[in-house]
Amino acid sequence: MKAALRSNTPLPTIDLIPAAQYVRMSDDGQQFSIANQKTAIQEYAKQHNFVVVRTYEDPGRSGLALKNRTGLCELIQDVVSGKPEYKAILVYDVSRWGRFQNSDEAAHYEFMCSSAGIPLHYCAEQFANDDTPASAILKALKRSMAAEFSRELAEKVIRGKTRIVQLGFWVGGMAGYGLSRLMISAVGTPKQKMKFGEHKSLTTDRVILVHGPKSEVETVRKMFQLALDGHGCTAIARELNRQGLTCFGRPWAHRQVILMLTNPKYAGCNVWNRTSQKLGGKVRRTKPTDWIMKVNAFAPIIDQQTFNRVQETLPKPADYQWTDEEIVECLKTLLARKGRLSEAIIQTARGTPSTSTIHRHLGSYAEIYRRVGFEYDPNNILQGLQGSRSYHLRGEIHKQLTDLFPGRITISRLPGGGRSILRVDERFTVSIILCRTKRKNGGKLYWVVEPNPAECEFITLLGTMNPRHNSILDYYLFPRMDVKSHRSREGDPWLAKGVRLKNLSQFYDVAQHLFATRRLYPMAS
């Protein structure tokens, strides 16, 4: 009877604490895979009365920076919103939270969670994250160790790649126009040409560069010959486009030409470390003395003498350190040749530093013209400043869209140069028009809409600028441009032909919708 009573006695219930789990790994070869982390977190949750109700993942993401870790960004956004569905966050260990090079950054993100009442639990660490002095010391040490691991690994990778490059093997990504990657065995036996996106399967295999398609090889030689004949990079791009030649299916532009003409690999030289991006920092150019090189590593497309002669004909590189005196003398020479100066003249002159470099050294246009000895019209300076602001504003729009939709939005140009355009999913083109502000006879402001005739059939992102031309007031997406020139004001019915965007985060969905309904709006793709 007593046994029967005992068996019918209900066991005490335990309220489980809802928790979120955050898991991350840098690559598929890591021992701390997503599955392993989830298993360890699940065991910890059982032992400490947690139940996982939400999972945030960052597969294939480095722990060095927050910007590319969408899972952690979403977690922090949910926590600071004040309405999370959980009361704790479970992480495998300190390094999975991040290998931030500044350990205070890791502490900052943890503090954001704890101050919102959502504490972190490190499931595989040998200390409890309970804010005691001992745990605080251990946690700080672990954060430093996680950051140091990345620094040491980066140094090992650099030393390893340096050795491979000096042996004559390719360690870069794409081979580039006119070249192909050839995989060879450890003893140097050719195995196969590698297609775009393919990787070698064995760590003992190596990769070298060989000549690519014959038509591309001939185009490369033609580019170098045009450069020897005195043509600039923009002129070379226009000539190639005129002949119907493309760069991987796209029109040639100044940037592709200059990158190819200055790359020693076309002369058979294996070069690495021309740019550097250490520990998730900014990409920066390195000095030629810091390049890792192996001459005669590959079969050259053009000989070394031709390559050296072309380098002498090209303008100074963007990272050349101009002096104030050099800039002033350069502008005086340009003034003597042209008879006047303007922003457009300076921007298109060969051998002249960029306007941003000139402003950084000499200041405003008024100061620039004073030092050069040019008598100017104040209205021209105002227009030049507005044009410069519009140019930088367009660059900011490019960056916002490519950051919002990585891999979906690319920046391109139509044949013959001109202003930049957008390619969406490599399926269709979107033109960008920034409408400058004017005021007629002291009256109301209006915006000038001036589409490029070559882009009127494209979907168009139209932005109305403020009077200083340094910010956008409103964005509209039009299925096409049906005007050659138009003056628009507040409440203009013509604007209703487009879709007004609250912000650029709506761009992709609206553009896709307009493209899907292109039968209703005739346009080019």
Side-chain angles (χ1 to χ4, degrees):
M1 179 65 69
K2 291 182 179 180
L5 289 174
R6 282 198 299 271
S7 63
N8 292 329
T9 302
L11 295 174
T13 59
I14 300 176
D15 293 332
L16 297 179
I17 304 171
Q21 62 178 347
Y22 173 72
V23 290
R24 178 191 66 83
M25 69 175 183
S26 297
D27 58 69
D28 295 334
Q30 282 194 335
Q31 68 183 74
F32 299 117
S33 68
I34 296 293
N36 290 342
Q37 292 175 55
K38 288 182 177 179
T39 299
I41 290 174
Q42 191 63 38
E43 289 297 322
Y44 182 91
K46 289 181 180 179
Q47 297 172 12
H48 296 81
N49 301 325
F50 289 112
V51 57
V52 176
V53 298
R54 180 71 186 273
T55 298
Y56 299 90
E57 294 187 15
D58 275 323
R61 294 297 183 186
S62 168
L64 292 172
L66 181 70
K67 60 182 179 180
N68 295 323
R69 295 166 62 184
T70 55
L72 184 57
C73 290
E74 185 181 1
L75 182 153
I76 293 175
Q77 184 177 3
D78 289 346
V79 168
V80 299
S81 69
K83 298 179 182 179
E85 58 196 75
Y86 41 82
K87 297 182 179 179
I89 300 170
L90 309 182
V91 186
Y92 181 79
D93 64 9
V94 171
S95 69
R96 296 305 90 196
W97 185 247
R99 298 187 184 276
F100 302 101
Q101 295 305 291
N102 185 340
S103 59
D104 290 341
E105 185 175 359
H108 169 69
Y109 299 138
E110 180 177 337
F111 174 75
M112 292 176 68
C113 297
S114 61
S115 62
I118 314 293
L120 258 67
H121 295 260
Y122 298 112
C123 304
E125 300 290 4
Q126 299 303 311
F127 61 88
N129 193 16
D130 54 5
D131 293 329
T132 60
S135 70
I137 292 173
L138 286 171
K139 188 164 54 175
L141 179 62
K142 285 279 188 176
R143 286 173 179 155
S144 298
M145 290 170 61
E148 186 60 26
F149 173 84
S150 293
R151 283 191 288 268
E152 291 180 353
L153 181 61
E155 290 299 324
K156 291 177 182 177
V157 170
I158 290 173
R159 288 196 296 269
K161 285 192 173 183
T162 298
R163 175 179 172 275
I164 293 174
V165 171
Q166 290 173 339
L167 290 173
F169 300 119
W170 180 250
V171 297
M174 293 177 58
Y177 188 86
L179 296 166
S180 296
R181 295 176 300 155
L182 176 66
M183 182 169 60
I184 61 176
S185 67
V187 295
T189 305
K191 299 181 72 173
Q192 69 177 63
K193 279 190 176 183
M194 302 170 66
K195 298 178 181 178
F196 177 77
E198 288 185 341
H199 301 272
K200 60 188 182 70
S201 57
L202 301 177
T203 56
T204 55
D205 287 342
R206 294 296 178 220
V207 177
I208 61 173
L209 295 185
V210 295
H211 288 191
K214 185 177 179 180
S215 60
E216 293 186 7
V217 172
E218 291 302 319
T219 301
V220 172
R221 290 172 177 159
K222 184 178 297 184
M223 290 171 59
F224 277 87
Q225 186 57 52
L226 287 170
L228 287 178
D229 293 340
H231 294 278
C233 294
T234 300
I236 293 173
R238 289 173 178 169
E239 176 60 23
L240 296 178
N241 291 328
R242 188 188 66 79
Q243 296 180 20
L245 301 173
T246 62
C247 179
F248 300 122
R250 293 185 179 180
W252 287 96
H254 175 279
R255 179 172 174 77
Q256 283 101 18
V257 175
I258 189 67
L259 289 177
M260 290 177 61
L261 292 179
T262 56
N263 199 320
K265 67 184 178 183
Y266 292 103
C269 184
N270 190 19
V271 183
W272 180 68
N273 199 41
R274 297 177 73 206
T275 60
S276 176
Q277 186 182 20
K278 293 183 178 180
L279 298 174
K282 292 183 178 180
V283 177
R284 62 178 182 84
R285 292 177 180 270
T286 56
K287 298 178 181 178
T289 54
D290 294 330
W291 293 357
I292 310 300
M293 302 181 63
K294 172 68 174 179
V295 297
N296 300 322
F298 316 125
I301 293 180
I302 51 100
D303 59 76
Q304 187 66 48
Q305 183 181 5
T306 299
F307 182 82
N308 293 339
R309 289 171 58 198
V310 167
Q311 306 317 299
E312 295 173 359
T313 66
L314 294 174
K316 291 181 174 64
D319 54 357
Y320 178 81
Q321 299 299 313
W322 290 86
T323 64
D324 291 4
E325 292 73 18
E326 286 179 326
I327 295 175
V328 170
E329 286 304 315
C330 183
L331 293 177
K332 284 183 177 179
T333 302
L334 182 61
L335 174 60
R337 189 168 76 245
K338 296 289 187 178
R340 64 188 184 90
L341 289 179
S342 68
E343 183 180 42
I345 291 174
I346 295 172
Q347 286 179 334
T348 56
R350 289 190 62 187
T352 303
S354 67
T355 52
S356 60
T357 299
I358 295 174
H359 286 309
R360 187 168 64 250
H361 282 261
L362 303 182
S364 66
Y365 275 111
E367 179 63 17
I368 293 168
Y369 293 159
R370 184 191 67 78
R371 296 203 42 185
V372 174
F374 172 57
E375 295 183 4
Y376 59 88
D377 182 349
N379 290 327
N380 291 339
I381 289 187
L382 176 60
Q383 293 174 4
L385 288 173
Q386 290 179 334
S388 178
R389 291 168 186 159
S390 300
Y391 175 81
H392 290 294
L393 188 57
R394 180 178 288 264
E396 292 175 8
I397 295 172
H398 293 166
K399 186 176 186 307
Q400 288 183 54
L401 289 173
T402 52
D403 287 348
L404 284 168
F405 311 105
R408 297 185 179 277
I409 306 294
T410 55
I411 311 301
S412 184
R413 294 181 188 274
L414 290 176
R419 56 192 180 194
S420 53
I421 55 176
L422 307 174
R423 289 290 294 171
V424 181
D425 289 336
E426 292 303 322
R427 296 174 62 213
F428 60 94
T429 300
V430 177
S431 175
I432 300 178
I433 298 178
L434 300 185
C435 302
R436 66 183 187 278
T437 305
K438 284 195 173 184
R439 189 188 303 273
K440 185 176 182 180
N441 299 328
K444 292 183 178 180
L445 293 173
Y446 65 89
W447 294 284
V448 180
V449 183
E450 292 181 330
N452 184 336
E455 303 174 17
C456 284
E457 294 300 319
F458 297 150
I459 295 172
T460 300
L461 175 65
L462 184 145
T464 55
M465 292 189 288
N466 67 346
R468 289 181 56 82
H469 292 187
N470 59 2
S471 69
I472 299 295
L473 301 176
D474 290 299
Y475 288 105
Y476 297 85
L477 261 178
F478 286 79
R480 66 189 297 275
M481 280 287 104
D482 59 358
V483 294
K484 293 182 179 179
S485 180
H486 179 70
R487 293 183 178 183
S488 181
R489 293 180 172 82
E490 286 285 353
D492 183 1
W494 178 82
L495 292 174
K497 295 182 179 181
V499 180
R500 184 174 180 177
L501 306 181
K502 293 181 180 179
N503 49 61
L504 285 180
S505 63
Q506 294 181 305
F507 169 82
Y508 182 77
D509 289 338
V510 176
Q512 287 282 9
H513 172 72
L514 291 179
F515 180 68
T517 56
R518 60 189 181 278
R519 292 181 179 177
L520 298 178
Y521 309 100
M523 66 183 72
S525 60

